[in-house]
Amino acid sequence: MNNRFYKRTQVNLEAEIISGGKTFKGSIENVSEGGVGYLIKSSIKDSSDFVPRKKIEVKFPTSTDENIKLECEIVWFSRSPAGDNELTLGLKIINPESEYKEWISNLSGSSIIKKMK
């Protein structure tokens, strides 16, 4: 049974996370009005950058080339079992701005692919 409060939409968006002044490249795998599923593809030397309750920023472009910035809190994280440096994060959005809410309400069921500029 799915106990999620918000409906998730699968996406494939290149994005960046900023944590402790460092930028990590990755992709957003799913979005909802209240959260984001994020896969970090950058090499991670210090896993203390990604612990539950830590505040981070997520930045990604929309299909209209508008960049959205979200202040988020890490809810959970999981390392890839393959032993590579990939890390999956579950993020709670803190006070999502109206532009994000509008963007998410306009999402269709199709996959979205957009590169960071």
mmCIF file of all heavy atoms in Angstrom, residues 56-108:
data_model
loop_
_atom_site.group_PDB
_atom_site.id
_atom_site.type_symbol
_atom_site.label_atom_id
_atom_site.label_comp_id
_atom_site.label_asym_id
_atom_site.label_seq_id
_atom_site.Cartn_x
_atom_site.Cartn_y
_atom_site.Cartn_z
ATOM 1 N N ILE A 56 19.575 21.280 1.891
ATOM 2 C CA ILE A 56 20.330 21.418 0.659
ATOM 3 C C ILE A 56 19.491 22.192 -0.347
ATOM 4 O O ILE A 56 18.298 22.408 -0.129
ATOM 5 C CB ILE A 56 20.739 20.054 0.068
ATOM 6 C CG1 ILE A 56 19.500 19.221 -0.249
ATOM 7 C CG2 ILE A 56 21.682 19.308 0.982
ATOM 8 C CD1 ILE A 56 19.785 17.938 -0.974
ATOM 9 N N GLU A 57 20.117 22.577 -1.460
ATOM 10 C CA GLU A 57 19.393 23.258 -2.529
ATOM 11 C C GLU A 57 19.448 22.402 -3.785
ATOM 12 O O GLU A 57 20.496 21.829 -4.102
ATOM 13 C CB GLU A 57 20.041 24.615 -2.805
ATOM 14 C CG GLU A 57 19.331 25.426 -3.854
ATOM 15 C CD GLU A 57 19.990 26.772 -4.067
ATOM 16 O OE1 GLU A 57 19.751 27.667 -3.231
ATOM 17 O OE2 GLU A 57 20.744 26.923 -5.049
ATOM 18 N N VAL A 58 18.323 22.302 -4.490
ATOM 19 C CA VAL A 58 18.252 21.591 -5.764
ATOM 20 C C VAL A 58 17.933 22.619 -6.835
ATOM 21 O O VAL A 58 17.049 23.452 -6.659
ATOM 22 C CB VAL A 58 17.158 20.498 -5.736
ATOM 23 C CG1 VAL A 58 17.038 19.835 -7.100
ATOM 24 C CG2 VAL A 58 17.444 19.475 -4.653
ATOM 25 N N LYS A 59 18.658 22.531 -7.944
ATOM 26 C CA LYS A 59 18.466 23.479 -9.043
ATOM 27 C C LYS A 59 18.306 22.691 -10.338
ATOM 28 O O LYS A 59 19.105 21.793 -10.627
ATOM 29 C CB LYS A 59 19.680 24.401 -9.138
ATOM 30 C CG LYS A 59 19.629 25.402 -10.253
ATOM 31 C CD LYS A 59 20.908 26.231 -10.238
ATOM 32 C CE LYS A 59 21.048 26.990 -11.525
ATOM 33 N NZ LYS A 59 22.310 27.720 -11.599
ATOM 34 N N PHE A 60 17.252 23.032 -11.106
ATOM 35 C CA PHE A 60 17.043 22.366 -12.395
ATOM 36 C C PHE A 60 16.268 23.273 -13.344
ATOM 37 O O PHE A 60 15.520 24.141 -12.908
ATOM 38 C CB PHE A 60 16.293 21.038 -12.216
ATOM 39 C CG PHE A 60 14.892 21.185 -11.709
ATOM 40 C CD1 PHE A 60 13.821 21.225 -12.596
ATOM 41 C CD2 PHE A 60 14.624 21.277 -10.349
ATOM 42 C CE1 PHE A 60 12.519 21.363 -12.137
ATOM 43 C CE2 PHE A 60 13.335 21.409 -9.884
ATOM 44 C CZ PHE A 60 12.273 21.456 -10.778
ATOM 45 N N PRO A 61 16.473 23.082 -14.659
ATOM 46 C CA PRO A 61 15.754 23.887 -15.640
ATOM 47 C C PRO A 61 14.438 23.216 -16.042
ATOM 48 O O PRO A 61 14.337 21.998 -16.083
ATOM 49 C CB PRO A 61 16.708 23.934 -16.829
ATOM 50 C CG PRO A 61 17.432 22.630 -16.743
ATOM 51 C CD PRO A 61 17.533 22.307 -15.274
ATOM 52 N N THR A 62 13.455 24.034 -16.359
ATOM 53 C CA THR A 62 12.189 23.518 -16.882
ATOM 54 C C THR A 62 12.269 23.511 -18.404
ATOM 55 O O THR A 62 13.244 23.982 -18.990
ATOM 56 C CB THR A 62 11.004 24.391 -16.438
ATOM 57 O OG1 THR A 62 11.138 25.681 -17.053
ATOM 58 C CG2 THR A 62 10.951 24.523 -14.926
ATOM 59 N N SER A 63 11.241 23.000 -19.046
ATOM 60 C CA SER A 63 11.222 22.949 -20.512
ATOM 61 C C SER A 63 11.158 24.339 -21.124
ATOM 62 O O SER A 63 11.423 24.514 -22.309
ATOM 63 C CB SER A 63 10.055 22.098 -21.002
ATOM 64 O OG SER A 63 8.848 22.642 -20.527
ATOM 65 N N THR A 64 10.814 25.353 -20.335
ATOM 66 C CA THR A 64 10.785 26.738 -20.829
ATOM 67 C C THR A 64 12.100 27.462 -20.507
ATOM 68 O O THR A 64 12.164 28.688 -20.586
ATOM 69 C CB THR A 64 9.606 27.522 -20.210
ATOM 70 O OG1 THR A 64 9.764 27.541 -18.793
ATOM 71 C CG2 THR A 64 8.284 26.904 -20.604
ATOM 72 N N ASP A 65 13.133 26.695 -20.154
ATOM 73 C CA ASP A 65 14.467 27.216 -19.820
ATOM 74 C C ASP A 65 14.478 28.121 -18.595
ATOM 75 O O ASP A 65 15.379 28.925 -18.403
ATOM 76 C CB ASP A 65 15.103 27.930 -21.013
ATOM 77 C CG ASP A 65 15.501 26.946 -22.101
ATOM 78 O OD1 ASP A 65 15.817 25.789 -21.755
ATOM 79 O OD2 ASP A 65 15.492 27.327 -23.273
ATOM 80 N N GLU A 66 13.471 28.000 -17.766
ATOM 81 C CA GLU A 66 13.437 28.720 -16.499
ATOM 82 C C GLU A 66 14.066 27.804 -15.445
ATOM 83 O O GLU A 66 13.740 26.628 -15.361
ATOM 84 C CB GLU A 66 11.988 29.015 -16.120
ATOM 85 C CG GLU A 66 11.816 29.662 -14.780
ATOM 86 C CD GLU A 66 10.349 29.856 -14.438
ATOM 87 O OE1 GLU A 66 9.476 29.460 -15.209
ATOM 88 O OE2 GLU A 66 10.100 30.396 -13.360
ATOM 89 N N ASN A 67 15.031 28.332 -14.672
ATOM 90 C CA ASN A 67 15.636 27.522 -13.616
ATOM 91 C C ASN A 67 14.794 27.607 -12.358
ATOM 92 O O ASN A 67 14.384 28.688 -11.944
ATOM 93 C CB ASN A 67 17.058 27.988 -13.311
ATOM 94 C CG ASN A 67 18.055 27.453 -14.302
ATOM 95 O OD1 ASN A 67 17.890 26.349 -14.812
ATOM 96 N ND2 ASN A 67 19.077 28.218 -14.600
ATOM 97 N N ILE A 68 14.557 26.453 -11.761
ATOM 98 C CA ILE A 68 13.841 26.384 -10.490
ATOM 99 C C ILE A 68 14.839 25.980 -9.420
ATOM 100 O O ILE A 68 15.629 25.057 -9.610
ATOM 101 C CB ILE A 68 12.671 25.383 -10.559
ATOM 102 C CG1 ILE A 68 11.586 25.922 -11.492
ATOM 103 C CG2 ILE A 68 12.114 25.111 -9.164
ATOM 104 C CD1 ILE A 68 10.366 25.045 -11.616
ATOM 105 N N LYS A 69 14.803 26.690 -8.299
ATOM 106 C CA LYS A 69 15.632 26.368 -7.144
ATOM 107 C C LYS A 69 14.701 25.976 -6.008
ATOM 108 O O LYS A 69 13.736 26.679 -5.715
ATOM 109 C CB LYS A 69 16.479 27.567 -6.724
ATOM 110 C CG LYS A 69 17.550 27.933 -7.702
ATOM 111 C CD LYS A 69 18.364 29.101 -7.199
ATOM 112 C CE LYS A 69 19.337 29.564 -8.252
ATOM 113 N NZ LYS A 69 20.084 30.737 -7.818
ATOM 114 N N LEU A 70 15.022 24.860 -5.373
ATOM 115 C CA LEU A 70 14.213 24.364 -4.263
ATOM 116 C C LEU A 70 15.081 24.193 -3.031
ATOM 117 O O LEU A 70 16.155 23.585 -3.104
ATOM 118 C CB LEU A 70 13.589 23.009 -4.608
ATOM 119 C CG LEU A 70 12.678 22.941 -5.818
ATOM 120 C CD1 LEU A 70 12.338 21.493 -6.130
ATOM 121 C CD2 LEU A 70 11.423 23.754 -5.572
ATOM 122 N N GLU A 71 14.617 24.708 -1.920
ATOM 123 C CA GLU A 71 15.262 24.406 -0.644
ATOM 124 C C GLU A 71 14.646 23.108 -0.158
ATOM 125 O O GLU A 71 13.419 22.981 -0.078
ATOM 126 C CB GLU A 71 15.030 25.516 0.370
ATOM 127 C CG GLU A 71 15.744 25.247 1.676
ATOM 128 C CD GLU A 71 15.486 26.307 2.732
ATOM 129 O OE1 GLU A 71 14.829 27.315 2.444
ATOM 130 O OE2 GLU A 71 15.937 26.093 3.865
ATOM 131 N N CYS A 72 15.502 22.136 0.137
ATOM 132 C CA CYS A 72 15.017 20.810 0.516
ATOM 133 C C CYS A 72 15.699 20.315 1.790
ATOM 134 O O CYS A 72 16.749 20.814 2.181
ATOM 135 C CB CYS A 72 15.296 19.800 -0.607
ATOM 136 S SG CYS A 72 14.455 20.146 -2.149
ATOM 137 N N GLU A 73 15.089 19.315 2.369
ATOM 138 C CA GLU A 73 15.652 18.619 3.522
ATOM 139 C C GLU A 73 15.784 17.155 3.145
ATOM 140 O O GLU A 73 14.853 16.563 2.595
ATOM 141 C CB GLU A 73 14.734 18.765 4.721
ATOM 142 C CG GLU A 73 15.219 18.047 5.951
ATOM 143 C CD GLU A 73 14.262 18.216 7.114
ATOM 144 O OE1 GLU A 73 13.916 19.360 7.455
ATOM 145 O OE2 GLU A 73 13.849 17.188 7.676
ATOM 146 N N ILE A 74 16.939 16.563 3.429
ATOM 147 C CA ILE A 74 17.141 15.146 3.139
ATOM 148 C C ILE A 74 16.312 14.329 4.127
ATOM 149 O O ILE A 74 16.417 14.509 5.341
ATOM 150 C CB ILE A 74 18.628 14.761 3.235
ATOM 151 C CG1 ILE A 74 19.426 15.544 2.199
ATOM 152 C CG2 ILE A 74 18.810 13.255 3.056
ATOM 153 C CD1 ILE A 74 20.931 15.393 2.316
ATOM 154 N N VAL A 75 15.477 13.443 3.584
ATOM 155 C CA VAL A 75 14.653 12.567 4.413
ATOM 156 C C VAL A 75 15.343 11.207 4.557
ATOM 157 O O VAL A 75 15.384 10.627 5.633
ATOM 158 C CB VAL A 75 13.238 12.399 3.809
ATOM 159 C CG1 VAL A 75 12.397 11.440 4.629
ATOM 160 C CG2 VAL A 75 12.556 13.749 3.688
ATOM 161 N N TRP A 76 15.875 10.696 3.462
ATOM 162 C CA TRP A 76 16.584 9.420 3.475
ATOM 163 C C TRP A 76 17.602 9.390 2.339
ATOM 164 O O TRP A 76 17.548 10.204 1.427
ATOM 165 C CB TRP A 76 15.629 8.236 3.350
ATOM 166 C CG TRP A 76 14.772 8.257 2.114
ATOM 167 C CD1 TRP A 76 13.513 8.775 1.988
ATOM 168 C CD2 TRP A 76 15.115 7.776 0.806
ATOM 169 N NE1 TRP A 76 13.062 8.642 0.699
ATOM 170 C CE2 TRP A 76 14.026 8.019 -0.046
ATOM 171 C CE3 TRP A 76 16.248 7.154 0.275
ATOM 172 C CZ2 TRP A 76 14.034 7.672 -1.392
ATOM 173 C CZ3 TRP A 76 16.257 6.802 -1.070
ATOM 174 C CH2 TRP A 76 15.153 7.057 -1.876
ATOM 175 N N PHE A 77 18.562 8.452 2.427
ATOM 176 C CA PHE A 77 19.519 8.251 1.349
ATOM 177 C C PHE A 77 19.870 6.778 1.263
ATOM 178 O O PHE A 77 19.707 6.033 2.234
ATOM 179 C CB PHE A 77 20.783 9.101 1.532
ATOM 180 C CG PHE A 77 21.630 8.692 2.703
ATOM 181 C CD1 PHE A 77 22.668 7.794 2.556
ATOM 182 C CD2 PHE A 77 21.376 9.208 3.969
ATOM 183 C CE1 PHE A 77 23.440 7.417 3.638
ATOM 184 C CE2 PHE A 77 22.139 8.843 5.059
ATOM 185 C CZ PHE A 77 23.176 7.941 4.888
ATOM 186 N N SER A 78 20.338 6.373 0.086
ATOM 187 C CA SER A 78 20.700 4.982 -0.143
ATOM 188 C C SER A 78 21.863 4.925 -1.124
ATOM 189 O O SER A 78 21.817 5.560 -2.172
ATOM 190 C CB SER A 78 19.492 4.231 -0.716
ATOM 191 O OG SER A 78 19.850 2.925 -1.079
ATOM 192 N N ARG A 79 22.903 4.181 -0.780
ATOM 193 C CA ARG A 79 24.038 3.985 -1.689
ATOM 194 C C ARG A 79 23.721 2.856 -2.660
ATOM 195 O O ARG A 79 23.024 1.922 -2.323
ATOM 196 C CB ARG A 79 25.291 3.614 -0.916
ATOM 197 C CG ARG A 79 25.907 4.760 -0.227
ATOM 198 C CD ARG A 79 27.415 4.510 -0.122
ATOM 199 N NE ARG A 79 28.047 5.651 0.472
ATOM 200 C CZ ARG A 79 28.511 6.685 -0.213
ATOM 201 N NH1 ARG A 79 28.402 6.711 -1.501
ATOM 202 N NH2 ARG A 79 29.075 7.690 0.397
ATOM 203 N N SER A 80 24.293 2.959 -3.855
ATOM 204 C CA SER A 80 24.131 1.916 -4.856
ATOM 205 C C SER A 80 24.804 0.636 -4.365
ATOM 206 O O SER A 80 25.933 0.677 -3.879
ATOM 207 C CB SER A 80 24.762 2.361 -6.173
ATOM 208 O OG SER A 80 24.818 1.282 -7.070
ATOM 209 N N PRO A 81 24.136 -0.520 -4.481
ATOM 210 C CA PRO A 81 24.752 -1.773 -4.032
ATOM 211 C C PRO A 81 25.914 -2.207 -4.924
ATOM 212 O O PRO A 81 26.698 -3.051 -4.543
ATOM 213 C CB PRO A 81 23.609 -2.788 -4.095
ATOM 214 C CG PRO A 81 22.606 -2.201 -5.026
ATOM 215 C CD PRO A 81 22.776 -0.713 -4.952
ATOM 216 N N ALA A 82 26.047 -1.606 -6.100
ATOM 217 C CA ALA A 82 27.117 -1.974 -7.025
ATOM 218 C C ALA A 82 28.482 -1.446 -6.573
ATOM 219 O O ALA A 82 29.488 -1.734 -7.188
ATOM 220 C CB ALA A 82 26.793 -1.452 -8.425
ATOM 221 N N GLY A 83 28.514 -0.645 -5.514
ATOM 222 C CA GLY A 83 29.766 -0.126 -4.994
ATOM 223 C C GLY A 83 30.275 1.103 -5.727
ATOM 224 O O GLY A 83 31.364 1.568 -5.458
ATOM 225 N N ASP A 84 29.480 1.625 -6.662
ATOM 226 C CA ASP A 84 29.912 2.851 -7.326
ATOM 227 C C ASP A 84 29.556 4.043 -6.437
ATOM 228 O O ASP A 84 29.105 3.881 -5.318
ATOM 229 C CB ASP A 84 29.299 2.984 -8.723
ATOM 230 C CG ASP A 84 27.780 2.873 -8.711
ATOM 231 O OD1 ASP A 84 27.178 3.104 -7.645
ATOM 232 O OD2 ASP A 84 27.201 2.566 -9.764
ATOM 233 N N ASN A 85 29.769 5.234 -6.923
ATOM 234 C CA ASN A 85 29.571 6.423 -6.111
ATOM 235 C C ASN A 85 28.160 6.980 -6.166
ATOM 236 O O ASN A 85 27.910 8.050 -5.627
ATOM 237 C CB ASN A 85 30.562 7.513 -6.527
ATOM 238 C CG ASN A 85 31.956 7.188 -6.060
ATOM 239 O OD1 ASN A 85 32.135 6.641 -4.982
ATOM 240 N ND2 ASN A 85 32.945 7.516 -6.858
ATOM 241 N N GLU A 86 27.235 6.307 -6.827
ATOM 242 C CA GLU A 86 25.881 6.838 -6.927
ATOM 243 C C GLU A 86 25.173 6.769 -5.581
ATOM 244 O O GLU A 86 25.320 5.815 -4.826
ATOM 245 C CB GLU A 86 25.078 6.088 -7.981
ATOM 246 C CG GLU A 86 25.545 6.395 -9.383
ATOM 247 C CD GLU A 86 24.659 5.788 -10.452
ATOM 248 O OE1 GLU A 86 23.752 4.993 -10.129
ATOM 249 O OE2 GLU A 86 24.875 6.109 -11.624
ATOM 250 N N LEU A 87 24.405 7.815 -5.313
ATOM 251 C CA LEU A 87 23.662 7.933 -4.070
ATOM 252 C C LEU A 87 22.263 8.411 -4.427
ATOM 253 O O LEU A 87 22.112 9.365 -5.186
ATOM 254 C CB LEU A 87 24.353 8.945 -3.155
ATOM 255 C CG LEU A 87 23.847 9.125 -1.745
ATOM 256 C CD1 LEU A 87 24.067 7.860 -0.930
ATOM 257 C CD2 LEU A 87 24.568 10.288 -1.082
ATOM 258 N N THR A 88 21.245 7.735 -3.927
ATOM 259 C CA THR A 88 19.864 8.142 -4.159
ATOM 260 C C THR A 88 19.360 8.844 -2.912
ATOM 261 O O THR A 88 19.559 8.364 -1.796
ATOM 262 C CB THR A 88 18.972 6.925 -4.472
ATOM 263 O OG1 THR A 88 19.517 6.233 -5.596
ATOM 264 C CG2 THR A 88 17.555 7.346 -4.785
ATOM 265 N N LEU A 89 18.703 10.003 -3.126
ATOM 266 C CA LEU A 89 18.197 10.800 -2.008
ATOM 267 C C LEU A 89 16.692 10.959 -2.109
ATOM 268 O O LEU A 89 16.161 11.169 -3.197
ATOM 269 C CB LEU A 89 18.809 12.209 -2.033
ATOM 270 C CG LEU A 89 20.317 12.330 -1.970
ATOM 271 C CD1 LEU A 89 20.728 13.775 -2.179
ATOM 272 C CD2 LEU A 89 20.846 11.805 -0.663
ATOM 273 N N GLY A 90 16.027 10.898 -0.988
ATOM 274 C CA GLY A 90 14.633 11.285 -0.879
ATOM 275 C C GLY A 90 14.595 12.644 -0.212
ATOM 276 O O GLY A 90 15.135 12.818 0.886
ATOM 277 N N LEU A 91 14.023 13.635 -0.895
ATOM 278 C CA LEU A 91 14.062 15.012 -0.415
ATOM 279 C C LEU A 91 12.674 15.563 -0.173
ATOM 280 O O LEU A 91 11.776 15.379 -0.995
ATOM 281 C CB LEU A 91 14.766 15.900 -1.454
ATOM 282 C CG LEU A 91 16.156 15.456 -1.894
ATOM 283 C CD1 LEU A 91 16.641 16.317 -3.047
ATOM 284 C CD2 LEU A 91 17.125 15.507 -0.731
ATOM 285 N N LYS A 92 12.518 16.256 0.933
ATOM 286 C CA LYS A 92 11.292 16.986 1.246
ATOM 287 C C LYS A 92 11.514 18.439 0.868
ATOM 288 O O LYS A 92 12.515 19.035 1.253
ATOM 289 C CB LYS A 92 10.992 16.874 2.738
ATOM 290 C CG LYS A 92 9.808 17.691 3.182
ATOM 291 C CD LYS A 92 9.645 17.586 4.692
ATOM 292 C CE LYS A 92 8.579 18.527 5.179
ATOM 293 N NZ LYS A 92 8.483 18.505 6.637
ATOM 294 N N ILE A 93 10.583 19.004 0.092
ATOM 295 C CA ILE A 93 10.706 20.396 -0.311
ATOM 296 C C ILE A 93 10.191 21.283 0.822
ATOM 297 O O ILE A 93 9.091 21.081 1.330
ATOM 298 C CB ILE A 93 9.912 20.679 -1.596
ATOM 299 C CG1 ILE A 93 10.414 19.775 -2.720
ATOM 300 C CG2 ILE A 93 10.022 22.147 -1.985
ATOM 301 C CD1 ILE A 93 9.544 19.792 -3.948
ATOM 302 N N ILE A 94 11.000 22.263 1.193
ATOM 303 C CA ILE A 94 10.620 23.206 2.251
ATOM 304 C C ILE A 94 9.978 24.415 1.584
ATOM 305 O O ILE A 94 10.604 25.085 0.781
ATOM 306 C CB ILE A 94 11.853 23.625 3.066
ATOM 307 C CG1 ILE A 94 12.513 22.387 3.684
ATOM 308 C CG2 ILE A 94 11.475 24.648 4.133
ATOM 309 C CD1 ILE A 94 13.878 22.639 4.252
ATOM 310 N N ASN A 95 8.740 24.676 1.918
ATOM 311 C CA ASN A 95 7.996 25.826 1.373
ATOM 312 C C ASN A 95 8.173 25.995 -0.134
ATOM 313 O O ASN A 95 8.772 26.969 -0.585
ATOM 314 C CB ASN A 95 8.405 27.121 2.084
ATOM 315 C CG ASN A 95 8.107 27.081 3.554
ATOM 316 O OD1 ASN A 95 7.071 26.573 3.962
ATOM 317 N ND2 ASN A 95 9.009 27.601 4.358
ATOM 318 N N PRO A 96 7.653 25.052 -0.932
ATOM 319 C CA PRO A 96 7.808 25.180 -2.388
ATOM 320 C C PRO A 96 7.200 26.477 -2.905
ATOM 321 O O PRO A 96 6.116 26.874 -2.489
ATOM 322 C CB PRO A 96 7.070 23.968 -2.940
ATOM 323 C CG PRO A 96 6.252 23.436 -1.830
ATOM 324 C CD PRO A 96 6.842 23.919 -0.549
ATOM 325 N N GLU A 97 7.943 27.142 -3.782
ATOM 326 C CA GLU A 97 7.482 28.411 -4.339
ATOM 327 C C GLU A 97 6.378 28.173 -5.360
ATOM 328 O O GLU A 97 6.223 27.080 -5.892
ATOM 329 C CB GLU A 97 8.657 29.148 -4.973
ATOM 330 C CG GLU A 97 9.690 29.537 -3.928
ATOM 331 C CD GLU A 97 10.765 30.441 -4.488
ATOM 332 O OE1 GLU A 97 10.566 31.039 -5.556
ATOM 333 O OE2 GLU A 97 11.811 30.541 -3.833
ATOM 334 N N SER A 98 5.622 29.210 -5.639
ATOM 335 C CA SER A 98 4.479 29.103 -6.548
ATOM 336 C C SER A 98 4.904 28.675 -7.946
ATOM 337 O O SER A 98 4.174 27.951 -8.621
ATOM 338 C CB SER A 98 3.699 30.414 -6.601
ATOM 339 O OG SER A 98 4.536 31.459 -7.035
ATOM 340 N N GLU A 99 6.101 29.087 -8.415
ATOM 341 C CA GLU A 99 6.547 28.683 -9.753
ATOM 342 C C GLU A 99 6.748 27.170 -9.828
ATOM 343 O O GLU A 99 6.460 26.556 -10.851
ATOM 344 C CB GLU A 99 7.820 29.422 -10.165
ATOM 345 C CG GLU A 99 9.025 29.093 -9.319
ATOM 346 C CD GLU A 99 10.246 29.941 -9.648
ATOM 347 O OE1 GLU A 99 10.139 30.912 -10.419
ATOM 348 O OE2 GLU A 99 11.319 29.622 -9.122
ATOM 349 N N TYR A 100 7.229 26.565 -8.747
ATOM 350 C CA TYR A 100 7.379 25.104 -8.720
ATOM 351 C C TYR A 100 6.010 24.441 -8.713
ATOM 352 O O TYR A 100 5.767 23.490 -9.451
ATOM 353 C CB TYR A 100 8.193 24.653 -7.509
ATOM 354 C CG TYR A 100 8.276 23.142 -7.406
ATOM 355 C CD1 TYR A 100 9.092 22.430 -8.262
ATOM 356 C CD2 TYR A 100 7.516 22.449 -6.473
ATOM 357 C CE1 TYR A 100 9.162 21.041 -8.193
ATOM 358 C CE2 TYR A 100 7.579 21.071 -6.391
ATOM 359 C CZ TYR A 100 8.398 20.370 -7.250
ATOM 360 O OH TYR A 100 8.455 19.005 -7.182
ATOM 361 N N LYS A 101 5.104 24.934 -7.883
ATOM 362 C CA LYS A 101 3.761 24.354 -7.820
ATOM 363 C C LYS A 101 3.054 24.447 -9.166
ATOM 364 O O LYS A 101 2.378 23.512 -9.585
ATOM 365 C CB LYS A 101 2.936 25.043 -6.732
ATOM 366 C CG LYS A 101 3.393 24.698 -5.339
ATOM 367 C CD LYS A 101 2.531 25.412 -4.322
ATOM 368 C CE LYS A 101 2.944 25.089 -2.912
ATOM 369 N NZ LYS A 101 2.090 25.744 -1.922
ATOM 370 N N GLU A 102 3.222 25.579 -9.849
ATOM 371 C CA GLU A 102 2.610 25.743 -11.167
ATOM 372 C C GLU A 102 3.234 24.774 -12.174
ATOM 373 O O GLU A 102 2.543 24.129 -12.951
ATOM 374 C CB GLU A 102 2.787 27.178 -11.652
ATOM 375 C CG GLU A 102 2.153 27.443 -13.006
ATOM 376 C CD GLU A 102 2.347 28.878 -13.465
ATOM 377 O OE1 GLU A 102 2.465 29.782 -12.620
ATOM 378 O OE2 GLU A 102 2.384 29.063 -14.695
ATOM 379 N N TRP A 103 4.571 24.648 -12.138
ATOM 380 C CA TRP A 103 5.273 23.740 -13.037
ATOM 381 C C TRP A 103 4.803 22.308 -12.829
ATOM 382 O O TRP A 103 4.492 21.610 -13.787
ATOM 383 C CB TRP A 103 6.791 23.866 -12.824
ATOM 384 C CG TRP A 103 7.583 22.877 -13.620
ATOM 385 C CD1 TRP A 103 7.876 22.940 -14.950
ATOM 386 C CD2 TRP A 103 8.163 21.667 -13.138
ATOM 387 N NE1 TRP A 103 8.605 21.834 -15.322
ATOM 388 C CE2 TRP A 103 8.800 21.044 -14.227
ATOM 389 C CE3 TRP A 103 8.214 21.045 -11.885
ATOM 390 C CZ2 TRP A 103 9.480 19.828 -14.102
ATOM 391 C CZ3 TRP A 103 8.887 19.845 -11.763
ATOM 392 C CH2 TRP A 103 9.506 19.243 -12.861
ATOM 393 N N ILE A 104 4.727 21.891 -11.585
ATOM 394 C CA ILE A 104 4.346 20.504 -11.307
ATOM 395 C C ILE A 104 2.889 20.229 -11.679
ATOM 396 O O ILE A 104 2.552 19.149 -12.138
ATOM 397 C CB ILE A 104 4.655 20.117 -9.849
ATOM 398 C CG1 ILE A 104 4.744 18.619 -9.743
ATOM 399 C CG2 ILE A 104 3.634 20.616 -8.875
ATOM 400 C CD1 ILE A 104 5.785 18.163 -8.802
ATOM 401 N N SER A 105 2.024 21.220 -11.542
ATOM 402 C CA SER A 105 0.625 21.011 -11.912
ATOM 403 C C SER A 105 0.454 20.905 -13.425
ATOM 404 O O SER A 105 -0.523 20.334 -13.902
ATOM 405 C CB SER A 105 -0.268 22.123 -11.353
ATOM 406 O OG SER A 105 -0.001 23.335 -12.005
ATOM 407 N N ASN A 106 1.425 21.427 -14.196
ATOM 408 C CA ASN A 106 1.356 21.364 -15.651
ATOM 409 C C ASN A 106 2.064 20.156 -16.247
ATOM 410 O O ASN A 106 2.060 19.986 -17.468
ATOM 411 C CB ASN A 106 1.950 22.641 -16.262
ATOM 412 C CG ASN A 106 1.097 23.847 -15.987
ATOM 413 O OD1 ASN A 106 -0.121 23.761 -15.905
ATOM 414 N ND2 ASN A 106 1.743 24.991 -15.813
ATOM 415 N N LEU A 107 2.696 19.332 -15.404
ATOM 416 C CA LEU A 107 3.396 18.160 -15.914
ATOM 417 C C LEU A 107 2.409 17.183 -16.532
ATOM 418 O O LEU A 107 1.341 16.921 -15.994
ATOM 419 C CB LEU A 107 4.139 17.432 -14.794
ATOM 420 C CG LEU A 107 5.455 18.007 -14.346
ATOM 421 C CD1 LEU A 107 6.009 17.173 -13.201
ATOM 422 C CD2 LEU A 107 6.458 18.078 -15.468
ATOM 423 N N SER A 108 2.808 16.625 -17.640
ATOM 424 C CA SER A 108 2.001 15.544 -18.218
ATOM 425 C C SER A 108 2.633 14.228 -17.794
ATOM 426 O O SER A 108 3.655 14.205 -17.127
ATOM 427 C CB SER A 108 1.975 15.667 -19.736
ATOM 428 O OG SER A 108 3.273 15.439 -20.252
#
